[in-house]
């Protein structure tokens, strides 16, 4: 028997090829307001509303979802009123959650 682990999750390169009714996408969401840059990886159906992903991630980080925003690593804001699949295709898997009370703070 082999002592090697199976390959790590390839969430950052999740594929939407061969789409089926049950296709899923994964996001690595980093809490941008913390020095240690903690992150969570969430996997959701691609037809899931992205607003639900934002709310779930905010709850996981114990920050207020109503005052949080999701941005790309390049700083582009993401409209939460679209599906998770649309966000994944437009922006990729690597995103940041910013509690809005921290925006503009040094």
């Amino acid at each position: 028997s082999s002592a090697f682990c199976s390959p790590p999750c390839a969430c950052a390169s999740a594929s939407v090829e061969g789409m089926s009714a049950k296709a899923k996408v994964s996001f690595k969401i980093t809490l941008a307001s913390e020095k240690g840059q903690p992150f969570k990886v969430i996997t959701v159906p691609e037809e899931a509303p992205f607003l639900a992903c934002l709310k779930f991630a905010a709850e996981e980080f114990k920050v207020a979802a109503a005052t949080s925003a999701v941005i790309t690593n390049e700083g582009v804001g993401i409209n939460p009123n679209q599906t998770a699949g649309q966000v994944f295709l437009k922006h990729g898997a690597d995103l940041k959650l910013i509690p809005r009370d921290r925006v503009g703070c040094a």
Side-chain angles (χ1 to χ4, degrees), residues 38-87:
F39 68 90
K40 305 274 184 193
V41 175
I42 62 171
T43 301
V44 296
E46 66 178 26
E47 69 274 7
F50 190 70
L51 184 58
C53 300
L54 186 157
K55 287 180 178 178
F56 178 78
E59 288 172 13
E60 289 290 301
F61 288 120
K62 297 177 177 46
V63 298
T67 57
S68 295
V70 175
I71 63 170
T72 66
N73 282 335
E74 292 76 36
V76 177
I78 297 174
N79 180 350
N81 298 319
Q82 53 191 328
T83 67
Q86 290 170 318
V87 171

